[in-house]
Amino acid sequence: MPVPIGMSTASVWPLRAGAGFELAQRLGYDGVEVMVWVDPLSQDVGALRRLSRDTGVPVLSVHSPSLLITQRVWSPDPAVRLRRSVEAAIELDARTVVVHPPFRWQRRYGDMFPDLVAGLEDETGVEIAVENMFKVRPPGGRRDARVSAFRPSIDPTEVGYRHYTLDLSHSAAAGMDAMALAERMGSGLTHVHLADGTGVPKDEHLVPGRGNQPCAELLEKLVVASFTGQVVLEVNTRRAVSAADRARDLAEALLFARFHLGQ
């Protein structure tokens, strides 16, 4: 069965989630990943279900509100936000929830996070795929100074989870070997955020093929390994000068994924 290729609704930012469903339908994506964030529509499960029905575009995955700007979406408690994300995935018939590791200052949540993830998976059958991250420059720090904001690190394989999301833009920003990271994730690699980066220490989310990450190599390796997970394009189009430019970028990204997955 072909690997489903989805588009993150974050790929149409600053447009709302509805534009993501509509563009995914027009370009021929197999589904969407809903990025739950400050867009009120992305937080409204009933509205998302209607969007999916009206466009015929399934929700493949839900990205839990894990960003700094979403720390009060649904709840100020990160454990509640994760549970709400799983509940949303169930309501939307999505297989996967993507979540970032806890922030360093979320000590209680950090202590409970591995058990919480495992417990929710056992309870619901939803795959909770923990994502690799990258270091950032501290406020007022040297230009070359980088620290991890995540606990215990930016590499979720140091803890060990059943399911992982490999984000190639994050691996580029972190200066990590994406192929080696995929090897460490092993059979737990069930979700890919496909985007490119040039290796500069920031999250670029370029159209795959426009940076220096092994995007093609990874996809071809997944085919050989009989990958049964999902690939989601999480591409930054905020600088697109027109709707046509945004559509061209996302069409190119989809073509890249289909070609290297042998579709």
Side-chain angles (χ1 to χ4, degrees):
M1 186 173 180
V3 174
I5 303 172
M7 186 186 80
S8 170
T9 58
S11 297
V12 300
W13 187 85
L15 303 181
R16 297 177 67 185
F21 278 84
E22 292 163 5
L23 193 52
Q25 189 275 335
R26 181 154 63 91
L27 296 177
Y29 278 84
D30 298 320
V32 298
E33 174 172 298
V34 173
M35 169 68 83
V36 181
W37 56 358
V38 292
D39 170 11
L41 184 56
S42 73
Q43 304 168 28
D44 187 334
V45 177
L48 293 169
R49 192 167 52 243
R50 289 190 293 274
L51 263 174
S52 179
R53 180 196 62 210
D54 293 346
T55 60
V57 175
V59 177
L60 302 178
S61 48
V62 173
H63 196 310
S64 182
S66 306
L67 304 173
L68 281 173
I69 62 170
T70 60
Q71 293 302 290
R72 292 195 171 273
V73 170
W74 283 344
S75 170
D77 184 336
V80 173
R81 291 199 299 273
L82 180 55
R83 183 173 288 277
R84 287 281 301 272
S85 300
V86 171
E87 291 169 353
I90 293 169
E91 288 191 54
L92 295 167
D93 294 321
R95 164 181 165 177
T96 304
V97 166
V98 177
V99 65
H100 295 175
F103 288 115
R104 288 171 61 184
W105 54 85
Q106 294 173 322
R107 297 195 176 188
R108 178 175 170 274
Y109 178 56
D111 289 341
M112 68 186 297
F113 184 72
D115 289 338
L116 175 64
V117 168
L120 285 171
E121 289 187 318
D122 287 340
E123 180 184 329
T124 66
V126 173
E127 296 176 357
I128 302 177
V130 185
E131 188 170 9
N132 61 297
M133 301 305 295
F134 56 96
K135 294 182 178 180
V136 297
R137 187 170 74 179
R142 301 190 320 270
R143 292 190 64 181
D144 60 344
R146 292 292 181 272
V147 297
S148 172
F150 300 96
R151 183 178 181 183
S153 81
I154 60 175
D155 182 352
T157 68
E158 291 187 8
V159 175
Y161 299 96
R162 294 177 196 167
H163 302 102
Y164 298 103
T165 296
L166 173 53
D167 186 306
L168 285 100
S169 178
H170 291 180
S171 63
M176 298 175 73
D177 182 332
M179 297 303 292
L181 180 56
E183 285 291 332
R184 293 196 297 277
M185 290 178 171
S187 61
L189 173 55
T190 55
H191 202 75
V192 173
H193 277 171
L194 184 61
D196 218 331
T198 62
V200 297
K202 66 178 183 178
D203 196 13
E204 296 176 283
H205 284 283
L206 303 177
V207 172
R210 297 186 186 177
N212 58 18
Q213 290 301 287
C215 297
E217 184 182 354
L218 177 67
L219 295 179
E220 290 161 9
K221 177 182 172 65
L222 295 179
V223 174
V224 172
S226 300
F227 180 69
T228 58
Q230 302 165 326
V231 171
V232 169
L233 276 299
E234 194 178 59
V235 174
N236 182 352
T237 65
R238 70 178 183 271
R239 293 182 180 173
V241 297
S242 68
D245 286 334
R246 174 178 287 109
R248 274 192 293 269
D249 281 350
L250 291 170
E252 179 183 330
L254 176 59
L255 181 62
F256 183 100
R258 291 214 184 280
F259 179 81
H260 291 288
L261 286 170
Q263 299 180 12

